[in-house]
Amino acid sequence: QVQLVEYGGRVAQAGDSLRLSCVFSGPTVSSYALGWFRQAPGKDREFVAGLSWSGGSAYYSDSVKGRFTISRDNAKSTLYLQMDSLKPEDTADYYCSADQYGTGRPTVGSVNIWGLGTQVTVYS
């Protein structure tokens, strides 16, 4: 069973940078596409960024494209989300996701496994 544990969320000021980490484990994790979602208070969970299961392709939502970068370090069993030029609207709980043989553009419904989330608050 694949397990995901996120950390790195904190309170930040607009314009700051922040890096989230997701430690992944499990015997079949190499067959999973990993990604990040977020959920702001009172809103639906939304896709932020994803990597295809082969690791060859990265995808981003329009709201974060050019500001956020997703990467995966298999040697450290860690998925990262580098968040630059933070905005108050980036405030949300951020969740690591895994979907087997995914394309890197998951939907909430296609995700098989979720982490517990880490909170990011950005103030202006």
Side-chain angles (χ1 to χ4, degrees), residues 10-73:
R10 63 173 175 85
V11 178
Q13 191 171 11
D16 280 356
S17 294
L18 186 61
R19 188 175 76 166
L20 303 183
S21 301
C22 170
V23 178
F24 53 84
S25 60
T28 61
V29 69
S30 61
S31 66
Y32 282 77
L34 301 179
W36 292 95
F37 283 70
R38 67 185 181 187
Q39 188 166 17
K43 295 188 176 181
D44 293 336
R45 192 169 296 190
E46 63 174 4
F47 170 75
V48 174
L51 286 172
S52 60
W53 74 271
S54 66
S57 300
Y59 302 92
Y60 300 91
S61 67
D62 288 342
S63 61
V64 307
K65 195 175 297 181
R67 299 189 298 121
F68 290 9
T69 304
I70 188 172
S71 62
R72 175 173 176 166
D73 186 338

Side-chain angles (χ1 to χ4, degrees), residues 58-124:
Y59 302 92
Y60 300 91
S61 67
D62 288 342
S63 61
V64 307
K65 195 175 297 181
R67 299 189 298 121
F68 290 9
T69 304
I70 188 172
S71 62
R72 175 173 176 166
D73 186 338
N74 288 326
K76 295 183 178 180
S77 298
T78 304
L79 179 75
Y80 300 103
L81 184 68
Q82 178 66 40
M83 307 163 65
D84 298 323
S85 303
L86 284 166
K87 302 177 180 180
E89 50 264 45
D90 295 320
T91 295
D93 292 327
Y94 284 72
Y95 297 89
C96 190
S97 68
D99 59 308
Q100 198 164 28
Y101 300 117
T103 62
R105 290 174 289 188
T107 63
V108 171
S110 71
V111 171
N112 305 117
I113 300 163
W114 296 99
L116 295 180
T118 186
Q119 190 173 57
V120 173
T121 302
V122 183
Y123 66 94
S124 57

